[in-house]
Amino acid sequence: MGIQDKIAAIELEMARTQKNKATEGHLGELKAKLAKLRTQLLEPPPGQAGPSAGFEVQKYGDSRIALIGFPSVGKSTALAQITGTESEAAAYEFTTLTCIPGIIHYQGTKIQLLDLPGIIEGAAQGKGRGRQVIAVAKSADLILMMLDATKPDAHKAVLEAELESTGIRLNKQPADIYFRKKKTGGIKFNAMVPLTKLGDNPGDVISRVLREYRMHNCEIVFREDASIDELIDLVEGNRRYIKCLYCYNKIDQITIEEVDVLSRQPNSIVVSCHANLNMDRLLAKMWEMLALCRIYTRRRGEAPDLEEPSVLTEGRGGVTIKSLCHHLHRDLLKEFKYALCWGQSCKHAPQRVGKDHELMDEDVVQVFKKTAKEYGQEKKGKVLTKQGCLAEPKKEERGADKKDKRGPSSNRHDGGPAKNTGKMGKSAGFA
């Protein structure tokens, strides 16, 4: 019995099982088995490991966007309109057979746009090179899902289901659940909020899911009302949470009322790549969802460099001073002393900040390094105080388990009774 047959059998059993509070544990156990089998299905077969030809695209620029959609929905035309890259476009399906990259120059940044071959239903199982396409989509910072406005909206649900089954979560965030494996102690479960999605006995449901993954010693704390699927995503640990923009193409072939309905859907935009309608708004929407943070640097006594900003994002290391130092030079953080910041993230200009300060778009930063003397003294064991001075580290206080040198005298100042050592003498409290 192959993996796909096992998946079909579990899905059939889940469809037959009545959903109520009493069956939550059984359904959770089936979902855990299904997630494990789907993870095994995504692994390449023996002897076929390694990237496929045509999909080896090196990351370039400050961010990456992947074009996902059914065949013949206008992905290649959109790539040519936005980036100027020539990609073969025709009226028949499966015109694009490999991954074709293009570069978007927008707001002083470079964004890589990938035109991927069209995927069909069953792509997660390998149909139509679906595994290779979805593997490239996992490396993207934003998924641009191209949809045909003249076709039914069921295509959107099919694409979402294919990406969901491969571990891609669209427009979602990881559940706020604390999870830690241990060597002993069993399963310790606690919840800070009422759990309404795990049935009458959440502890039993969670235990059955964890035992399916052979986790018998761990600590788990729910900080929000999460579902069993979110718990499985946490245990699997290989999920990708990616933003998705739904782009409805060919609006020049439908009525204005239908365009109005499509444009009001969340995370959606309507365009016509052939007629070049609303393409500027598409670029602005992609920029807004990527949330790129441009940081300009300056040297002491000079004007800031506004030509080439350092671009930071939450998905690529964060938007703090520490991330900026890593972006500029790998050894800059070791010599970092403090920084001066101008911009929206400051209360006053300039503001002296540390490495944990969070930056905002178009901030100006000037980094100050330690002097050679300070850097050398730190290596010898001295620490740098908040005032920028070198000082010896504080000596550790002696523990309470060490012996008291004063002896068991009755004139102790700690208020405790004198310790009787059993010996005669003044030190024992006798005359």
Side-chain angles (χ1 to χ4, degrees):
M1 191 174 184
I3 296 178
Q4 294 186 2
D5 296 333
K6 293 179 181 179
I7 291 176
I10 293 176
E11 289 178 344
L12 180 61
E13 184 178 354
M14 290 176 62
R16 291 177 176 177
T17 304
Q18 186 178 3
K19 296 182 180 179
N20 52 49
K21 294 182 179 180
T23 60
E24 285 288 345
H26 179 61
L27 287 173
E29 191 173 352
L30 292 176
K31 288 180 179 179
K33 292 181 179 179
L34 188 63
K36 289 176 62 178
L37 291 174
R38 284 177 173 170
T39 302
Q40 296 176 12
L41 190 64
L42 293 176
E43 297 176 356
Q48 298 184 10
S52 301
F55 286 85
E56 303 172 10
V57 180
Q58 184 179 3
K59 278 192 174 183
Y60 177 80
D62 304 311
S63 190
R64 170 181 278 195
I65 301 176
L67 278 165
I68 293 289
F70 278 98
S72 189
V73 294
K75 298 188 297 297
S76 300
T77 308
L79 178 72
Q81 286 280 358
I82 297 173
T83 65
T85 304
E86 293 184 4
S87 179
E88 185 179 357
Y92 54 87
E93 295 184 348
F94 294 105
T95 308
T96 304
L97 300 177
T98 61
C99 179
I100 301 177
I103 301 298
I104 303 173
H105 297 272
Y106 190 75
Q107 299 285 354
T109 61
K110 299 176 183 178
I111 303 172
Q112 188 180 42
L113 181 64
L114 302 180
D115 180 18
L116 299 174
I119 62 177
I120 58 178
E121 189 172 0
Q125 285 75 37
K127 293 183 180 179
R129 304 187 75 179
R131 287 183 183 174
Q132 293 90 334
V133 174
I134 294 174
V136 176
K138 278 188 173 183
S139 65
D141 302 302
L142 174 68
I143 291 179
L144 182 61
M145 187 178 292
M146 295 293 293
L147 301 168
D148 194 339
T150 62
K151 295 183 179 179
D153 204 29
H155 288 185
K156 176 182 175 181
V158 172
L159 291 173
E160 288 178 338
E162 292 295 329
L163 297 177
E164 187 87 9
S165 63
T166 57
I168 298 178
R169 301 294 179 258
L170 301 178
N171 297 324
K172 294 181 180 178
Q173 293 293 331
D176 191 5
I177 302 175
Y178 171 78
F179 179 75
R180 183 172 66 92
K181 295 181 182 178
K182 299 190 302 182
K183 295 183 179 180
T184 58
I187 299 175
K188 293 184 179 180
F189 159 70
N190 196 5
M192 303 176 66
V193 295
L195 301 180
T196 61
K197 303 177 183 178
L198 299 178
D200 293 334
N201 191 358
D204 179 63
V205 176
I206 294 169
S207 298
R208 296 180 69 169
V209 171
L210 294 177
R211 290 193 184 100
E212 181 64 31
Y213 286 93
R214 297 182 179 180
M215 296 181 181
H216 306 287
N217 301 289
C218 61
E219 183 179 359
I220 183 166
V221 179
F222 279 70
R223 297 192 179 102
E224 68 175 42
D225 189 11
S227 62
I228 193 67
D229 296 321
E230 293 173 327
L231 173 63
I232 293 174
D233 290 345
L234 175 70
V235 176
E236 282 282 344
N238 57 356
R239 304 306 191 224
R240 280 278 290 144
Y241 296 86
I242 308 176
K243 295 181 181 179
C244 180
L245 176 61
Y246 303 97
C247 181
Y248 290 90
N249 192 21
K250 305 179 183 180
I251 60 172
D252 54 331
Q253 302 178 18
I254 60 177
T255 63
I256 192 64
E257 289 79 9
E258 293 173 330
V259 172
D260 184 64
V261 172
L262 294 175
S263 63
R264 294 180 183 276
Q265 296 185 12
N267 300 315
S268 300
I269 192 169
V270 291
V271 299
S272 176
C273 298
H274 180 71
N276 197 15
L277 296 176
N278 209 26
M279 298 301 292
D280 54 346
R281 178 58 187 160
L282 174 61
L283 280 173
K285 189 68 175 178
M286 290 191 298
W287 171 264
E288 179 185 345
M289 295 193 69
L290 285 172
L292 299 180
C293 186
R294 296 164 295 174
I295 307 300
Y296 302 100
T297 57
R298 58 164 294 181
R299 295 178 180 271
R300 184 180 299 181
E302 298 181 7
D305 182 14
L306 304 179
E307 296 279 333
E308 297 181 0
S310 299
V311 182
L312 307 177
T313 58
E314 286 287 351
R316 294 191 180 186
V319 291
T320 61
I321 295 288
K322 182 178 180 180
S323 305
L324 177 64
C325 293
H326 281 301
H327 187 272
L328 295 175
H329 196 276
R330 60 182 181 181
D331 294 331
L332 182 58
L333 195 62
K334 298 179 182 178
E335 304 176 10
F336 177 83
K337 187 176 181 180
Y338 67 93
L340 293 179
C341 183
W342 295 261
Q344 301 179 13
S345 64
C346 303
K347 297 180 180 178
H348 50 83
Q351 180 179 349
R352 178 168 170 167
V353 296
K355 60 183 178 181
D356 296 327
H357 177 74
E358 292 190 359
L359 300 167
M360 298 181 69
D361 190 27
E362 295 188 326
D363 278 359
V364 178
V365 176
Q366 181 179 352
V367 178
F368 288 83
K369 300 194 299 183
K370 302 169 188 173
T371 62
K373 180 180 179 181
E374 292 172 344
Y375 188 65
Q377 291 292 338
E378 275 201 348
K379 284 187 174 181
K380 294 181 180 179
K382 294 185 178 181
V383 297
L384 194 67
T385 62
K386 294 182 178 180
Q387 292 76 19
C389 303
L390 290 167
E392 294 287 344
K394 295 182 179 180
K395 296 181 179 180
E396 297 182 359
E397 295 182 0
R398 297 180 179 179
D401 56 338
K402 293 186 178 181
K403 294 182 179 180
D404 193 349
K405 291 184 178 181
R406 295 176 295 174
S409 173
S410 59
N411 297 326
R412 293 169 58 126
H413 298 284
D414 55 0
K419 182 176 179 181
N420 190 356
T421 59
K423 296 180 180 181
M424 299 297 291
K426 294 184 179 180
S427 61
F430 294 95

